[in-house]
Amino acid sequence: MELHPDVERVLVSDEQIANRCKELGKEISEYYKGEVPIAVGLLKGSVPFLAQLVKNVPGDIEMDFMDVSSYSGTESTEVKIIKDLEGSIRDRSILLVEDIIDTGKTIKVVKELLYSKGAKDVKIVALLDKPEGRKVDVDADWVGFVIPDEFVIGYGLDYNQRYRNLPYVGVIKKSAI
Ligand code: IMP
Ligand code: MG
């Protein structure tokens, strides 16, 4: 497969992601046995991963999407809702789907926000985890791949809104930044 000219090297291939989503799908559906969770995808980065993941969840699952932008206030991280959820999540179990966890600030505030909207349970699944970047105490319940602290693109992840469509996760070339 042809590499995009701005990609230095592939970190996780399409096939590795497809295989990992099969495993995650099984584990997740075992956890939600007997109930119908709502997969909440954070736009836009989670879309390719969410699409691959839900195809591998054998049980019933609903989907909703949210777009937030998080920024650091004086003492804590604030989150601005750009697009809110469509349906009610009161007393529902939520599977928050994210592309990558770096500092952890985004999922921490979104998790709290979902509980404040009345969610019964919020679990997190992330395609990628950069544990070296963590600044707040939060972790995913399921992770696709742990990666080193490098800037990555593809499979939903962007640099200036580009490269989200690449079918793999790769490290961007210095010359493209
Ligand atoms: P956090 O709040 O620092 O955990 O950041 C998570 C968000 O930062 C992700 O949803 C991505 O949008 C973005 N992000 C973090 N690392 C990368 C990266 O390596 N490539 C592209 N986006 C990233
Ligand atoms: Mg994001």
Side-chain angles (χ1 to χ4, degrees):
M1 138 104 143
E2 286 269 312
L3 263 199
H4 190 289
D6 294 343
V7 172
E8 178 74 47
R9 65 181 199 281
V10 173
L11 269 188
V12 194
S13 72
D14 200 8
E15 196 189 348
Q16 285 175 299
I17 296 172
N19 289 333
R20 186 73 184 114
C21 282
K22 285 182 194 159
E23 298 174 348
L24 289 173
K26 255 188 224 147
E27 288 177 30
I28 288 169
S29 58
E30 273 163 31
Y31 176 78
Y32 289 114
K33 225 178 241 155
E35 64 179 330
V36 181
I38 307 174
V40 169
L42 292 186
L43 296 173
K44 316 177 185 74
S46 73
V47 170
F49 174 51
L50 184 141
Q52 186 65 28
L53 184 66
V54 294
K55 287 185 277 186
N56 290 285
V57 173
D60 286 333
I61 188 163
E62 294 176 21
M63 284 182 230
D64 207 340
F65 295 91
M66 232 181 155
D67 194 359
V68 300
S69 80
S70 57
Y71 54 97
S72 293
T74 44
E75 282 187 2
S76 61
T77 304
E78 314 279 332
V79 62
K80 190 173 120 200
I81 299 173
I82 297 159
K83 184 218 170 283
D84 208 345
L85 296 171
E86 215 174 279
S88 165
I89 59 167
R90 182 152 300 282
D91 298 324
R92 298 292 302 271
S93 291
I94 305 299
L95 176 66
L96 179 59
V97 184
E98 179 58 317
D99 50 4
I100 189 167
I101 305 177
D102 184 15
T103 65
K105 289 178 180 178
T106 308
I107 51 156
K108 188 168 198 256
V109 285
V110 173
K111 191 176 180 181
E112 285 162 5
L113 180 73
L114 295 172
Y115 276 119
S116 76
K117 284 171 171 284
K120 179 174 76 178
D121 177 59
V122 180
K123 290 283 177 281
I124 297 163
V125 59
L127 173 62
L128 305 168
D129 186 7
K130 286 202 262 195
E132 290 162 52
R134 205 70 92 252
K135 293 212 171 92
V136 295
D137 184 25
V138 68
D139 270 313
D141 299 279
W142 295 280
V143 168
F145 302 89
V146 174
I147 63 164
D149 199 5
E150 290 183 279
F151 195 83
V152 293
I153 51 172
Y155 221 91
L157 292 132
D158 75 304
Y159 174 66
N160 284 342
Q161 299 304 326
R162 287 177 62 193
Y163 313 112
R164 293 191 195 274
N165 58 314
L166 300 182
Y168 49 80
V169 174
V171 178
I172 192 167
K173 279 185 186 165
K174 295 265 181 306
S175 59
I177 297 183

